[in-house]
Amino acid sequence: MSRKQLARSGGDLHALGTDDTGCTILHLDMDSFFVSVELLTRPELRGTPVIVGGRGGRGVVVSASYEAREYGVHAAMPMARAVTLCPQATVIPPSRGQYSAYSRRVFGLIAEVTEDFAKVSVDEGYIDVASAVRRLGSPATIAAGLRERIRRETGLVASVGVANTLVVAKLASTRAKPDGLLVVPVARVDDFLRPMPVEALPGVGAKTQSTLARYGIRTIADLADADEDWVSRTLGAWGRSLWNHAHGRDSRTVHMHAKDHSVSAEHTFGHDVRDLGKLELELLRLADTVAYRLRKEGKAAGGVGLKYRLADFTTYSRSVTLPAPTDVARELQEALLPALRTLYDSHSAAVRLLGLRAADLVDFEASGRQATLDEPERSPREAELALDAVRDRFGRAAIGSASLLRGPDPDGGHGTGTAPGQKRLGGERGLDH
């Protein structure tokens, strides 16, 4: 459900009170982050419908201002649909580099409060302020001060939920939007959760919602009142955790959640693709993007996932545990090739979107990666590090692997073509890792 719908659903928030005793978990979520960053240099557009996203035939909405959301526009919506719903909106293409820069500034301010935080995405994070209470005041005071500093020093707006568990804090920040702070007292967790629709719980997608609806479970109260063992049998391994979340119980900690951090990339093709060679090449391109980001963060992936979306929007996910953590593009791609080929053989429909996700991240220095006996003198990782050095100096388009430079992409996406001005390195073979 949309945040707008969730904000209007379930209970009187004012009746919860403001007792933040024991509520040391904060969930911070930047309001319309991508749009807000763009409006810093376009203040004349404040208060008007603004959409950030691609304008091409397959372009999608990355972010929408609250004024655009009033017309039903939301993230991940096809841009053609968004423009139809809100033709007066100003559409802005995403700015490269700006979002990460502002994200670093925001999380730098969080780090001045406490080191106990987990960055979930570029605009969202969990914060455990237990160690900062004696120094900075109550959890709600800390949250209010952090919101004020973010606004003053970046010009951006954050909403914060304050609670005693991660799941309740996340729901609280959503209900606080836009530009709000909501405390859910420990004694009022049930009052907060029970009126909300079950799909408000993180992880409840359309399939789970449909399954629960068949048994008359439509609210969090319905789920909380159901038999725990029945929920576990009906929903599988995830069911017991979901049942606990319906009661506001969450055994995860901020540091445990940090382990869930992942790096991902995906691409929607200009035209649906039914060519295995193109799909394999696009998978390598995605792996190249993800591996570059991993190296920038000093991380290695212990697992990798594939997102495979057909023309009718049916989506399949596959995951693979790697034999050893890696930040090498070719290794990420090769781990997923069997899954890609199996999905290709199993479904006759063309592919609309591919995605690659690196998960189970560890610090590279602690990954224990060792050279193998049959590894060449110049390893694939050394080649990719050389690419990084050139890209960092001259831009991502300056150079690429020879495997990715195979002529124009006839499907109209960013797919297989050489970027303007991009060089092929190393003669015929190049840095073909």
Side-chain angles (χ1 to χ4, degrees):
M1 71 187 318
S2 71
R3 281 177 169 153
K4 177 181 174 183
Q5 291 170 316
L6 178 56
R8 293 176 176 174
S9 65
D12 179 5
L13 298 181
H14 295 291
L16 295 176
T18 58
D19 181 7
D20 63 354
T21 304
C23 296
T24 58
I25 302 299
L26 277 53
H27 181 263
L28 182 144
D29 199 355
M30 305 301 296
D31 290 356
S32 301
F33 178 65
F34 299 96
V35 167
S36 297
V37 170
E38 297 295 345
L39 294 186
L40 292 174
T41 55
R42 297 173 173 86
E44 70 279 5
L45 295 178
R46 295 187 186 279
T48 70
V50 177
I51 301 171
V52 173
R55 287 304 303 256
R58 290 295 183 90
V60 297
V61 175
V62 173
S63 180
S65 68
Y66 286 96
E67 292 79 10
R69 295 181 195 187
E70 290 293 328
Y71 292 85
V73 179
H74 58 79
M77 172 181 284
M79 184 61 74
R81 172 67 175 159
V83 173
T84 299
L85 290 173
C86 189
Q88 70 272 40
T90 302
V91 179
I92 301 173
S95 298
R96 295 185 180 275
Q98 286 291 319
Y99 311 126
S100 295
Y102 275 96
S103 178
R104 286 192 295 272
R105 291 177 64 184
V106 168
F107 281 93
L109 295 175
I110 292 173
E112 293 181 21
V113 173
T114 177
E115 295 180 354
D116 297 327
F117 69 90
K119 183 177 180 180
V120 179
S121 66
V122 70
D123 61 346
E124 176 186 2
Y126 290 98
I127 312 164
D128 186 339
V129 297
S131 64
V133 169
R134 292 184 62 182
R135 178 168 51 93
L136 298 175
S138 71
T141 299
I142 294 172
L146 186 56
R147 292 181 68 237
E148 194 279 329
R149 280 201 69 189
I150 290 172
R151 187 192 300 270
R152 184 178 70 248
E153 298 188 26
T154 71
L156 303 174
V157 175
S159 292
V160 179
V162 183
N164 67 325
T165 63
L166 270 65
V167 66
V168 178
K170 181 174 177 62
L171 287 170
S173 71
T174 301
R175 295 293 301 274
K177 284 181 174 289
D179 192 11
L181 188 159
L182 178 63
V183 175
V184 181
V186 175
R188 305 301 299 273
V189 167
D190 281 350
D191 296 336
F192 172 66
L193 291 177
R194 289 177 68 84
M196 285 192 281
V198 71
E199 60 267 29
L201 288 172
V204 177
K207 184 177 180 181
T208 301
Q209 181 186 353
S210 176
T211 298
L212 292 173
R214 289 202 301 269
Y215 298 98
I217 296 177
R218 293 182 170 82
T219 67
I220 293 179
D222 295 333
L223 180 60
D225 292 341
D227 179 74
E228 180 182 3
D229 291 334
W230 176 85
V231 174
S232 182
R233 290 194 304 271
T234 303
L235 299 181
W238 169 238
R240 200 170 301 277
S241 293
L242 195 62
W243 185 84
N244 278 308
H245 288 177
H247 288 272
R249 296 193 286 264
D250 191 346
S251 62
R252 298 172 301 163
T253 67
V254 166
H255 291 295
M256 289 171 64
H257 201 284
K259 295 177 182 177
D260 293 336
H261 172 56
S262 61
V263 176
S264 62
E266 60 184 40
H267 173 59
T268 300
F269 293 102
H271 302 284
D272 298 333
V273 173
R274 182 57 188 162
D275 182 310
L276 182 59
K278 290 181 185 177
L279 297 176
E280 292 181 353
L281 191 58
E282 185 57 39
L283 186 64
L284 179 58
R285 188 184 304 279
L286 294 170
D288 181 62
T289 297
V290 168
Y292 174 79
R293 294 174 183 168
L294 287 174
R295 293 189 294 272
K296 291 293 103 179
E297 293 189 22
K299 301 293 185 180
V304 64
L306 174 69
K307 185 175 182 180
Y308 189 92
R309 178 169 293 165
L310 303 180
D312 64 359
F313 286 86
T314 301
T315 304
Y316 298 91
S317 298
R318 298 291 185 268
S319 60
V320 176
T321 299
L322 298 169
T326 185
D327 61 359
V328 177
R330 178 66 76 179
E331 294 174 6
L332 298 176
Q333 186 228 21
E334 288 179 348
L336 289 175
L337 281 176
L340 175 72
R341 291 165 180 165
T342 297
L343 287 168
Y344 177 85
D345 291 338
S346 301
H347 303 282
S348 59
V351 177
R352 175 185 176 87
L353 175 148
L354 274 186
L356 186 150
R357 174 176 175 267
D360 301 329
L361 305 190
V362 297
D363 290 336
F364 180 82
E365 296 299 330
S367 66
R369 181 182 175 93
Q370 300 290 331
T372 60
L373 291 176
D374 59 349
E375 191 168 277
E377 181 180 355
R378 295 294 184 183
S379 71
R381 188 171 192 272
E382 287 184 82
E384 295 191 14
L385 288 170
L387 285 176
D388 292 349
V390 178
R391 288 164 167 170
D392 290 344
R393 182 172 181 181
F394 298 106
R396 290 277 291 163
I399 194 169
S401 162
S403 298
L404 298 176
L405 308 180
R406 297 183 181 173
D409 178 9
D411 73 40
H414 75 48
T416 58
T418 305
Q422 191 174 56
K423 303 296 184 182
R424 185 180 181 122
L425 186 66
E428 285 300 312
R429 190 162 183 267
L431 288 180
D432 190 358
H433 43 275

